[in-house]
Structures are given as structure tokens and as C-alpha cells.
Amino acid sequence: MGEQSIEPSGLYETRASLYWWFSTLLTRELDEDQLARYTTGAGRALLDDLSEDPKFSPSVDKINRALAQIGPMEHPALELAADFAELFLMDAKAGASPYASVYQPDGGLLFQKPHDDMVALLKSQGLAVEARFNEPADHIAIQLDYLGNLIIKEGSQVSPAQATFIEQHLLSWIPQFVKSTEKVKNTGFYQGVCQLMLDFIELDHEEILAA
Amino acid sequence: MTLSRRSFLKGILATSAATLVGPSLLSAAFGSETAGTWKVSGSHWGAFRARIYAGKVQEIKHFEADKNPTDMLKGIKGILYSPSRIRYPMVRYDWYLKRQKSDTTLRGNNRFIRVTWDEALDLFHQELERIQTQYGPWALHAGQTGWRQTGQVHSCGNHMDRAIAMHGHSVKKVGDYSTGAGQTIMPYILGSTEVYAQGTSWSLILENSKTIILWSNDPVKNLQVGWNCETHEAFAYLEQLKEKVANKEIKVISIDPVRTKTQNYLGCDQLYVHPQTDVPLMLAIVHTLYKEKLYDEKFIEIYALGFDEFIPYVLGAGDDKVEKTPEWAEKICGVSADDIRGLAHLMAKDRTQMLFGWAIQRQQHGEQPYWLGAVIATMLGQIGLPGGGIGYAHHYSSVGVPSTGAAAPGAYPRNPEREENRIHKNDDFKGYSSTIPVARWVDALLEPGKKINANGATITLPDLKMMVFSGCNPWHHHQDRNRMKKAFHALETVVSIDFTWTATCRFSDIVLPACTQWERNDLDLYGSYSSRGIIAMHKLVDPLFQSKTDFEIFTLLAKKFGQGEAYTLGRSEMDWVRKIYDDCAEANKGKFDMPDFDIFWKEGWVDFGQGKPWTRHADFREDPEINALGTPSGFIEIFSRKIDRFGYDDCQGHPKWFEKIERSHGGPGSDKYPVWLQSCHPDQRLHSQMCDSEEYRATYTVQGREPIYMNAGDAKARGISDGDLVRVFNDRGQLLAGALISDDYPPGIARIHEGAWYGPVDETIGSLDTYGDPNTLTMDVGTSQLAQATAANTCLVEFERFTGKAPEVMSFGGPQEIS
């Protein structure tokens, strides 16, 4: 992709929304009301729409199976909260650490170069991580949030910056992250979400390059 | 882009995704970046300067005043940024749903949910309430201690004790895992714990001793860490000693089954002795000294009691009718009779300094070798002379470096100021003991109500329902992991406060994230026993994730029951740092000049200089009446009437040899499990601290596991090569470790350093430990009815080469190797 191309208006908002949606899902646990919207509501509608694309349908199936499994449980939201914790909130060995630094070939400490790079990138855009969130800047939710922001800022322009960001800051580690989620055996909701997210990022990246 | 994709995306209403989106995680940035600042802080491993830039610790270098910094400083960043950090308050899922009715066998299954701090502290408070009202103070134990982090304001044990005490009474403990036997027996013999006391200054030892006996003592290894911020000043003396050994001015003998780091450093001699048989060796030395009239009769007459009641036992006139000759001892301890006599002659010949380490008293009947050591020193008659006598702590926290005499800074007050501040006044323990020997809490869980003897008292083990651990990792330091695992089921509620996912936290119900010592402001004593100075501990970075300082955590808890103001006494963190400094300056007024707090904080430390050389027990020697020892009689008690009256079979009126439950090299149990497992303090950690530092741990692990040091012949006989995975096992448990073959280890002897993080394959009892925690194999018995202390070094094992697919290491937060 060389020159910038113009997208039909509204599409970039959808792309940004989807990135933000994944960011939200990976920021914190769903409460009962939020979870309900995935059985009947905006979440259900979105999942149904996404499953129409053959690339996305396997992971949406996984999500749907998880929802069906927890539906009849006594505390569905808590079950998912336990899944979320097991995957993302404990230590990296047991689950799937949501920080890019941990997947570096050397060492695997938190707050390494991927964090530093994100801090610099955010700063260049006049941004910083919300003080209350208090996570290293290479948290997946922050990276996705940033990308959404970038898309909105560039509007209908699909620029090299987005492709570069996806390559250097997302695809550099998210495949390993998704693989890590698969070693945890629980309802599979978040495993599905993460796989869906990766599928979407890959598709989006292809589209950007093709444009 | 193909048309179908575009139209697909079009089909997704931007609004449907948009309504599912939460608030942004990003905000406008403000504030300019500084070029980076250097701050000062401390740790058990020593003081250092850290460069902070972009909100991160970028670089660490040792403090200039430290002339012998430890390599372990390299591990500090790895602790701070460890993927094992506890990031949020967490509650075990099943406990969250069912509270005291939870399935406690599920503890360790790693299924938690995140809660807010408010909710976590509510749960903590509710449980304290429930325990006090539904049961009573006898059901709550919040008193176990660990090595905590450094810093006097945030001392985590003090905060736990204070907050709990403001809520109600609870069961406390006596003793500790390090020196339980030693600190309990030595007051009877020499009048103080001896293990936590300043000793004869190194300079006096270097000047006066002709012979130094390092008895089961590895100072070069152990002096890397300190209770307070370690100065490492002792290493300068060890360097001088090395020279004197080389010049043959001083003879140093390491009496030890293994070749220690100290021996290798000093290039000194070793006297090999079979594991756990030092007592027969010592009795034979006593025999030789007596028979050959090499002992100081006059000294005994003036300074000691009970020699005449003790010596018949040595001469064969005791109940066992066995004369403790060198020939008798040789058969048990593996030292030839000639060598035993030679050692006795050497020790009697000239000025001899005996220095004991602590591992020797962490075995069954661990009281005995310490007692006998004192008896031998008494017979030599050099107690109280520079470079003579006996020391029990020269490997610990600057003992032997002369004290400056400066007052140390106090700590956050552990006791509530007023009884009115305590919510639940009930102090009826319903016949259960309100204090238990520290290492017997697992016994309490397994046999509540059981009566045991301990140090002259009868202890009724309480029926514990709830325990709180603050900066304490019993799932590292307690013995017999599987027995402990079973016992743990009996607890209804377990709360842990720590900064990293230790096994203790994994097996808890409520886990509260404390921050590390580098995420808070504090101050510390620089040089534990030397009182060299005061070190500032500047906050390097703000608490990471949702972690909080210990001060804040327990203040918030106290607020839950309306005692917030009483807890803090109206002071903030920095107010407390200031106050403790100012109080210390007041105490040192006229003796040591301390600058104003702000100057101290800017400079980073106050230097009290060097102390004057000093000889332990010199004042007693000079005048035993005026400077009587703290023993019942005021004299050295070779025979203790008090202990005799307790009537314990395993610790009697005078030191004795008792066979062990299991002992290698011909002892009981050695036909089934032929190898003695030594689990002494590690070389590259502080107990279990820093084990979670990924990069640093990688410098010593073997195939990612804790090393098991072993003898070449033992390895060969089992088909094990250096670097192989080894399963180590006995009837109590099993673990995986990495083979490290070393000439330092004779046949039948292996070592796994304690502090290796427990990481079982799953939560079941008997589960294979994947990393190499030696306490999976050790025995959980008290040393004797006197101290009821830890007996970890009474342990026999077997090992074999591990074949098949090795389970990955489960202990840490580091990422799995992606295949």
C-alpha cells in the first residue's frame, strides 16, 4: 500500500469501535448486566453479525458455546469473572499475561521495551494511560484503545501508521498470547474472544495493506 | 479490499459495537519528562542507588559505602517487575461463593476472582468479626513471621499485629524457624539467646585466635543478606582471614559434611563428619579433654555449674553405661579416633574461637550440639577472652562487626496504645494456649486440643479456624509439605498479604497485594548489629497495579472497624518516616550527630562510623558475680537443674547423644533412603525471596529447576549425569530438581537450598513438585519437647534420573516456553 486511500465514510468508525470493543472486553470482567447483552442485546447482535464471516465463525461459535454453558449456572457473571482472572489476572505461567513485555524472547519481565515504546508512542500523540487504570502501557487493552483512537484521528485516511502499529505492537506478540489462552481449560469464552480479536486484527491488517 | 469485506463491515452497525464499548483507558498527557533522577534505597541484600526515568527503574548500582556488594542486587529489578507480582486483590472463587463452607481441598487450584480493595477489606473484616463472635480469640492465628522486606515504617508484621490487635485477641507464637532450638536452649546455658546477640569482634579474632572452628558454619554464603540493610562489612575481615590462613598464621577448620563456600573461599581445612553426628564427636572431644587433663579446671570451678553431674555420662557411668571414647564416636560420626584426639589437642593448645552456624540446630535434638559446644568452650576456659570462647551468629547480619553504639531507628508501633482501641475484648482462650511454638501450628490444625510439652510449659494446641500471613511464606519454610497441605484443609479462612504469588498466596482465600519496599518511602538501620548508619529508602516508583503499602492496607482495614485514626495516630507515611528519624536523632543526641531529616533524606544516609572492638562474655569473665549471666544460677550451666526438672526424655539435665528418627551413613532408615538431604539457606536468594526474579534465577537453575547438589559417585551409581532432571523422593513426598554434580559433596549427601518455590503439578496431596522445594521431603517434628523447633535437616531421601515428559515448572509467573 503506497498512497493513502479514502474509505467510505462510517467504516473507519466501525473499525475503531471493534478495536475498542475488544479493548473493553479485555480491560475488566463483565458484570451481570453487561453479560446479559451477549445473550439478548447489542452484544448478541454483534456476535451474530460477526459470525457471518467464515473467518470469524469458529471463534464466535466458541464464545456462543461458553455462553450456553454458563447460562444455566447459578452465577454466570462470576464464572466468567473467574475465567477472566484465571487467564489474565494471575501470573503468566498459569494463564495468558496480557502484557507484550512478557512475550519478549529475553527474560519476560513486566515493563520492558514494549511498554517503553508504547509510552513514547502515546506521548507523541499527547496521550498517557489513565492514572486509575494503572497498568503498564503494553497492556493489550491499552494498545487496542490506542489503535481505535488512531483510526478515529486519521478518519477516512488509512495510513501507514495503522499498519505499522499493528505489525510492531500487536502481531508481534498477540499470536503467542492467544496460544497461551488455549492452555487454560475453562468455559472458553475469553479464549474465543481472543481468537476472534486476532482473526479481526489479521483481517484488518490484510485489508489495510491491500488498500 | 474486496467488495464483500467492505460490505460485511458495513453490515455491522457501528452503533452496536459502540454501545458495548467502555470508558477510554487513555487521557491527555501532562507533565514534562525529567532527565532521570537517582534515588537511594536499601534491601536485605544491601543499599543501592537507582536511576528512575520515565516512571521506571532503569538501572541499579551498589551504594558506594558497600565495599563488598552482593551479586544478588542484579535480581532486584526482577522482583519489582516480576510477572509473578500480585496485581489486584483476589479472592478464591469457591470461598467467595461459600465462605467458611468452601471446599478447602480446592485451595491451590488457582481459581480466583478479582475484587475491589473495598470488597476485599470488607471480607477480611467480616471474617475477623465472625471468628471473634462465632468462635473466640483461640481460633485466630495471625502471628507467623517471615523475613519481611526492609524498612522500619512499613514493617509488615508490625502492621498485621497492630491492626489485628485493635480488632481483638488472637493466638501468638514464640520462636522462629531460623533458630528455634538455639534461642530456646541457650538462655539456660549461657544466659542469652546467643543467636541474636553481638559477638566478639572479627578484628580481635584475627589478632588473637590461633585456631578457628567453623562448626557447620558458612559465613561467606550467609553474610550476603542481612536482617536490616546489609553493609557487608564482615567480608573485609573474611578477606583478612583468608590471607592469614594462607600465611599459616591462623588455622581454620570447617567441621562439616560438605565443603562449604567459606571453606573454598578461605582455602581452609575441613573435618568431615557424618551428617547429624556432631554430638558423638563433641562428646569424644570432651572425653579426651577430660582424660588427658587438657581442660581448665579452675575456669569451670569459678564460672560453671554442673560439670560433675555431666562428666559421669561421658565416662560411661550414665544410664546408658557407654563411655564416650573417640573409638565409640568414630563408629558413629566417621571421624577417626586419632583425628578426634588430634582435634581436642589442637583446640586445647592455644587460643581457639568456636563459631557455630544455625543449620546444625535445625535437626532433631538441635539443642544438643549448641549445648555441647558451650560445654567444650567452657572446658577450654577461654570464654570471655578475645578470640576465644564461642559464638553462634558470626554468619549473620554484621555480627562480629563492632557496634557503633548508636541507637537504631524504631519501627511502626506493633501494639495498640490503649486497650480501649481493641474492639473485641474477649481474651478467653477456653483452655487453649494463647501462644504456641512457632513451628507447631500445623500440629494444631491436625490435632486441635492436643497437649504438648514446650520449654517447661504444657501447650494445648488451639483449634484454629483462621490464619493471616503478612509478608510470610510458610509454604516455603514449613516442613513436610504434604502433611501441611492436608492440615491446611482445616482452616476456614486464610488471608495473605504479599507482593508476589508465593505458594502461600496460591493456597489462600483472600490475597491482598502489598507493594515492594521500592514503591514506598521508608528508612532502615544500615548494618544490623553494627549500627553503622541509617539509610533512606526513597520511593523509586509508585505502587504498581493495584498494590498498596502495608501501612495503607492495614490503615484501611482498621478504618473498617472505626480505628483508622487510632491506627495512624493521625500521621501520613512521610510523617512516620520523619518521626522515626527524629526519635532516633533524639536518642542519639550527644553521642551521634544526626542532621535534620530533610538533609538526611536528600543525602540518602547518616554514617555513624565504626565501633570499637569488643569481646563477648568478657565482662562475665572479669566478674561473674556482678556481671552474672542470665541463666537461673548466673553461671554457665553445664547441667541445668531447670531443664532436668522438666523431665523430658529428648532434652535432659545435661547434653546427651540421642539417635535420630532417620539418619544416613548407617543410622536408622538409611537402608531404605540412603541419602541425607541438607536444605540449608540458599546462596543466591534470601530464603524464598528473589526466587521469583526470572533473569536472576536463570543464572543458577538446571533445566529450569532448583539444583540438587550431589556426589559424583552417587550420580554415577544411578545413571545420572550433570544437568539431568532428577526425581527426589521419600515416603513424605517427591520433587523434580536438576542434577549438579560437585566434589564438594561426599557420598550419601545431597543439598537442595531452601526457599525453592513450591509448584506442585496440582493441588492433590502427594503431587509432584515441579521446581524443587526441599520441604516437600522434610519431616515435621519438633526438635525436642524443649524447643519444639524446626528439624528440617533430619531428612533422608533417594533420587533417580527422571525419564519421560517433564511437567513444566508451575511455581512462577514467567511465561511458558512457546514451542
Side-chain angles (χ1 to χ4, degrees):
Chain A
M1 160 194 107
E3 325 125 20
Q4 299 177 346
S5 54
I6 315 289
E7 285 193 317
S9 73
L11 216 49
Y12 70 90
E13 285 164 340
T14 302
R15 287 176 60 231
S17 294
L18 285 169
Y19 278 112
W20 284 338
W21 174 61
F22 286 118
S23 171
T24 299
L25 282 175
L26 295 175
T27 295
R28 62 178 53 85
E29 305 85 326
L30 296 168
D31 63 32
E32 281 180 27
D33 290 334
Q34 289 163 343
L35 177 58
R37 302 170 77 198
Y38 289 92
T39 32
T40 54
R44 177 80 265 139
L46 179 58
L47 287 173
D48 288 344
D49 282 345
L50 287 167
S51 69
E52 303 223 343
D53 188 308
K55 190 173 164 85
F56 300 148
S57 61
S59 46
V60 176
D61 277 350
K62 197 161 187 183
I63 295 171
N64 288 337
R65 277 199 302 277
L67 288 168
Q69 192 188 331
I70 61 170
M73 285 183 181
E74 206 183 330
H75 307 277
L78 282 181
E79 284 294 324
L80 270 197
D83 279 5
F84 187 92
E86 197 173 8
L87 283 160
F88 310 126
L89 305 183
M90 303 295 288
D91 52 62
K93 176 48 54 77
S97 185
Y99 311 101
S101 290
V102 167
Y103 299 88
Q104 292 291 284
D106 56 329
L109 291 187
L110 301 168
F111 286 92
Q112 297 307 291
K113 189 165 186 300
H115 155 82
D116 298 342
D117 289 346
M118 276 304 299
V119 169
L121 196 56
L122 289 171
K123 198 171 162 205
S124 71
Q125 302 292 319
L127 295 168
V129 178
E130 242 280 347
R132 271 170 316 159
F133 189 51
N134 205 27
E135 295 279 339
D138 61 340
H139 188 296
I140 190 169
I142 294 171
Q143 294 187 319
L144 295 169
D145 193 325
Y146 170 79
L147 182 54
N149 274 294
L150 184 62
I151 292 169
I152 294 295
K153 182 174 166 206
E154 293 183 336
S156 49
Q157 319 275 346
V158 180
S159 74
Q162 292 172 31
T164 307
F165 182 81
I166 291 173
E167 284 152 26
Q168 288 183 359
H169 293 278
L170 297 183
L171 291 176
S172 56
W173 69 283
I174 290 180
Q176 293 174 72
F177 166 67
V178 173
K179 196 153 183 230
S180 290
T181 65
E182 280 152 25
K183 67 179 193 265
V184 181
K185 307 291 169 230
N186 50 31
T187 68
F189 178 88
Y190 286 102
Q191 285 85 334
V193 166
C194 290
Q195 183 60 57
L196 180 62
M197 170 191 64
L198 178 59
D199 293 338
F200 174 71
I201 294 170
E202 282 172 350
L203 182 64
D204 193 48
H205 183 237
E206 267 174 49
E207 301 293 352
I208 293 173
L209 292 180
Chain B
M1 182 185 283
T2 63
L3 206 59
S4 59
R5 298 282 173 166
R6 287 250 177 232
S7 57
F8 154 71
L9 269 184
K10 247 198 245 171
I12 296 174
L13 298 165
T15 44
S16 82
T19 58
L20 299 166
V21 168
S24 178
L25 302 173
L26 304 174
S27 56
F30 54 91
S32 55
E33 209 57 75
T34 53
T37 45
W38 282 93
K39 298 190 179 185
V40 170
S41 192
S43 67
H44 292 299
W45 301 279
F48 59 89
R49 291 192 189 272
R51 185 171 61 88
I52 317 302
Y53 177 70
K56 253 179 66 170
V57 174
Q58 301 286 349
E59 147 182 20
I60 285 180
K61 60 179 192 192
H62 72 264
F63 200 58
E64 322 74 61
D66 188 340
K67 303 301 175 207
N68 288 283
T70 166
D71 198 46
M72 287 195 258
L73 280 182
K74 292 200 190 102
I76 285 181
K77 270 172 78 174
I79 294 177
L80 185 57
Y81 296 124
S82 169
S84 292
R85 283 291 296 263
I86 304 173
R87 314 201 303 272
Y88 324 95
M90 307 293 286
V91 177
R92 188 168 65 89
Y93 183 43
D94 190 61
W95 190 92
Y96 185 82
L97 294 177
K98 304 190 203 124
R99 305 287 191 98
Q100 67 269 29
K101 295 197 166 43
S102 81
D103 182 352
T104 58
T105 67
L106 292 180
R107 283 197 185 111
N109 74 346
N110 222 38
R111 199 144 164 89
F112 286 80
I113 59 166
R114 170 167 57 177
V115 297
T116 62
W117 269 104
D118 203 49
E119 194 172 3
L121 291 167
D122 273 337
L123 291 170
F124 191 177
H125 176 224
Q126 284 162 21
E127 281 305 289
L128 290 175
E129 279 294 306
R130 183 179 69 82
I131 295 294
Q132 292 291 349
T133 52
Q134 193 180 320
Y135 299 112
W138 46 266
L140 173 64
H141 186 29
Q144 294 284 317
T145 49
W147 262 67
R148 65 190 185 107
Q149 302 186 80
T150 58
Q152 294 294 91
V153 172
H154 292 279
S155 196
C156 60
N158 288 27
H159 283 285
M160 175 185 72
D161 286 350
R162 183 180 178 82
I164 299 285
M166 282 186 164
H167 184 262
H169 291 279
S170 60
V171 174
K172 295 296 172 197
K173 60 90 180 166
V174 65
D176 57 49
Y177 281 77
S178 304
T179 64
Q183 64 170 272
T184 305
I185 184 122
M186 292 319 292
Y188 293 98
I189 317 307
L190 290 178
S192 98
T193 62
E194 294 294 317
V195 292
Y196 296 133
Q198 181 57 286
T200 300
S201 302
W202 278 112
S203 59
L204 293 175
I205 296 175
L206 290 170
E207 278 164 41
N208 296 283
S209 305
K210 286 287 173 279
T211 301
I212 297 175
I213 305 290
L214 294 173
W215 209 308
S216 164
N217 196 354
D218 200 353
V220 170
K221 167 170 68 75
N222 291 357
L223 286 167
Q224 295 178 84
V225 302
W227 179 254
N228 298 98
C229 190
E230 185 49 44
T231 58
H232 304 118
E233 288 177 285
F235 282 101
Y237 297 107
L238 291 170
E239 209 179 308
Q240 291 177 46
L241 180 57
K242 182 181 161 104
E243 237 183 88
K244 288 192 182 266
V245 168
N247 295 338
K248 303 213 190 306
E249 291 173 50
I250 298 182
K251 191 170 178 68
V252 177
I253 302 177
S254 173
I255 301 181
D256 207 303
V258 315
R259 219 153 61 187
T260 63
K261 190 174 185 186
T262 301
Q263 177 188 343
N264 287 333
Y265 171 76
L266 293 175
C268 69
D269 299 332
Q270 178 192 6
L271 182 69
Y272 167 82
V273 59
H274 284 332
Q276 303 191 84
T277 65
D278 305 83
V279 168
L281 170 58
M282 291 171 161
L283 287 168
I285 291 173
V286 170
H287 186 276
T288 306
L289 291 174
Y290 181 80
K291 284 292 222 184
E292 298 182 27
K293 298 215 182 301
L294 294 172
Y295 71 103
D296 192 334
E297 283 186 72
K298 202 86 177 89
F299 183 86
I300 290 178
E301 209 182 304
I302 300 172
Y303 296 99
L305 287 188
F307 185 72
D308 293 335
E309 282 132 307
F310 165 62
I311 204 65
Y313 167 77
V314 177
L315 298 176
D319 290 342
D320 60 352
K321 301 280 181 265
V322 173
E323 193 176 353
K324 311 301 185 291
T325 62
E327 286 71 19
W328 164 82
E330 174 180 336
K331 292 197 197 71
I332 305 171
C333 72
V335 182
S336 75
D338 280 347
D339 283 349
I340 295 175
R341 290 193 170 89
L343 178 60
H345 298 159
L346 178 68
M347 290 172 78
K349 178 160 162 265
D350 234 312
R351 188 66 55 87
T352 298
Q353 177 72 61
M354 296 169 74
L355 297 175
F356 276 74
W358 292 349
I360 198 176
Q361 50 93 53
R362 279 198 290 262
Q363 61 172 302
Q364 211 190 352
H365 317 117
E367 299 88 344
Q368 305 304 313
Y370 268 29
W371 195 346
L372 260 177
V375 172
I376 293 174
T378 304
M379 291 176 80
L380 294 176
Q382 298 172 18
I383 289 178
L385 292 177
I390 186 164
Y392 295 90
H394 276 70
H395 62 285
Y396 174 63
S397 294
S398 296
V399 165
V401 178
S403 304
T404 56
Y412 203 91
R414 111 182 299 141
N415 298 312
E417 285 67 35
R418 305 174 322 143
E419 188 56 28
E420 294 90 88
N421 292 128
R422 199 191 305 265
I423 305 293
H424 291 269
K425 313 285 189 213
N426 180 18
D427 60 354
D428 182 3
F429 284 78
K430 294 260 189 282
Y432 294 117
S433 294
S434 59
T435 302
I436 60 172
V438 67
R440 302 275 68 81
W441 61 275
V442 170
D443 291 347
L445 294 176
L446 289 170
E447 294 178 275
K450 181 179 181 188
K451 291 193 189 312
I452 63 169
N453 293 319
N455 205 14
T458 306
I459 302 292
T460 305
L461 296 175
D463 191 6
L464 302 175
K465 301 293 180 196
M466 176 174 178
M467 285 182 78
V468 182
F469 300 104
S470 174
C472 176
N473 190 8
W475 284 80
H476 130 245
H477 61 240
H478 195 82
Q479 284 59 57
D480 198 342
R481 195 64 69 236
N482 285 305
R483 180 174 191 259
M484 185 177 157
K485 214 178 208 180
K486 183 153 181 277
F488 225 58
H489 295 160
L491 286 167
E492 290 177 359
T493 301
V494 182
V495 181
S496 287
I497 300 101
D498 213 312
F499 59 83
T500 183
W501 279 103
T502 61
T504 299
C505 293
R506 290 179 199 276
F507 280 82
S508 295
D509 303 312
I510 300 175
V511 180
L512 302 178
C515 62
T516 68
Q517 58 204 307
W518 306 299
E519 293 154 75
R520 58 196 198 197
N521 289 305
D522 212 325
L523 79 175
D524 198 9
L525 178 63
Y526 192 43
S528 310
Y529 283 87
S530 60
S531 248
R532 171 69 194 271
I534 313 242
I535 191 103
M537 295 177 71
H538 299 145
K539 174 160 61 169
L540 301 185
V541 293
D542 285 329
L544 298 181
F545 306 102
Q546 297 296 315
S547 69
K548 290 186 187 295
T549 68
D550 294 280
F551 172 62
E552 195 183 350
I553 293 171
F554 285 100
T555 299
L556 290 171
L557 176 67
K559 279 192 173 143
K560 290 292 180 189
F561 46 90
Q563 296 298 319
E565 189 66 19
Y567 189 83
T568 65
L569 298 175
R571 294 189 189 103
S572 67
E573 177 197 63
M574 267 326 273
D575 289 340
W576 274 104
V577 179
R578 230 173 239 280
K579 168 156 175 59
I580 285 178
Y581 179 86
D582 289 345
D583 285 352
C584 184
E586 186 62 36
N588 281 315
K589 212 164 171 181
K591 289 182 290 168
F592 294 91
D593 242 329
M594 283 172 61
D596 278 350
F597 177 80
D598 292 317
I599 296 174
F600 153 71
W601 196 247
K602 185 157 175 286
E603 289 301 302
W605 74 309
V606 176
D607 185 359
F608 295 136
Q610 314 260 296
K612 291 197 188 14
W614 177 83
T615 300
R616 184 157 188 78
H617 302 125
D619 55 354
F620 168 66
R621 187 186 186 94
E622 194 187 299
D623 193 332
E625 305 280 322
I626 291 177
N627 304 317
L629 295 177
T631 57
S633 62
F635 297 101
I636 299 170
E637 298 205 359
I638 295 172
F639 184 95
S640 167
R641 259 183 264 271
K642 197 162 177 196
I643 296 179
D644 182 52
R645 281 197 214 109
F646 294 155
Y648 301 149
D649 55 0
D650 50 11
C651 189
Q652 301 183 11
H654 61 70
K656 272 181 147 185
W657 161 241
F658 303 107
E659 183 61 269
K660 310 283 164 257
I661 293 177
E662 44 188 79
R663 182 173 67 81
S664 59
H665 299 82
S670 56
D671 43 0
K672 190 172 182 197
Y673 294 113
V675 178
W676 177 62
L677 182 69
Q678 178 191 59
S679 52
C680 60
H681 188 275
D683 187 24
Q684 282 159 296
R685 290 190 288 270
L686 162 60
H687 293 297
S688 71
Q689 293 189 35
M690 206 174 268
C691 198
D692 50 337
S693 189
E694 300 280 316
E695 229 178 279
Y696 194 71
R697 190 176 72 250
T699 64
Y700 59 82
T701 47
V702 174
Q703 287 204 48
R705 330 276 163 164
E706 188 70 10
I708 173 169
Y709 297 87
M710 63 176 67
N711 171 264
D714 288 345
K716 188 160 182 228
R718 293 163 176 79
I720 294 171
S721 307
D722 194 71
D724 277 350
L725 267 190
V726 173
R727 187 178 79 102
V728 189
F729 60 93
N730 59 24
D731 290 341
R732 294 181 287 268
Q734 47 169 348
L735 62 85
L736 283 185
L740 205 158
I741 295 174
S742 163
D743 286 339
D744 291 344
Y745 296 83
I749 292 168
R751 172 191 289 191
I752 301 178
H753 287 130
E754 46 94 342
W757 278 31
Y758 181 55
V761 168
D762 56 40
E763 72 277 8
T764 60
I765 296 182
S767 178
L768 177 70
D769 175 50
T770 59
Y771 179 69
D773 171 12
N775 277 321
T776 318
L777 305 166
T778 53
M779 196 185 318
D780 188 11
V781 296
T783 49
S784 77
Q785 293 165 82
L786 188 81
Q788 293 285 7
T790 300
N793 285 318
T794 296
C795 180
L796 296 186
V797 302
E798 176 57 283
F799 53 84
E800 65 190 13
R801 192 164 160 273
F802 184 83
T803 52
K805 190 169 185 322
E808 50 159 323
V809 174
M810 298 303 297
S811 318
F812 311 101
Q816 178 190 26
E817 293 90 55
I818 305 292
S819 48

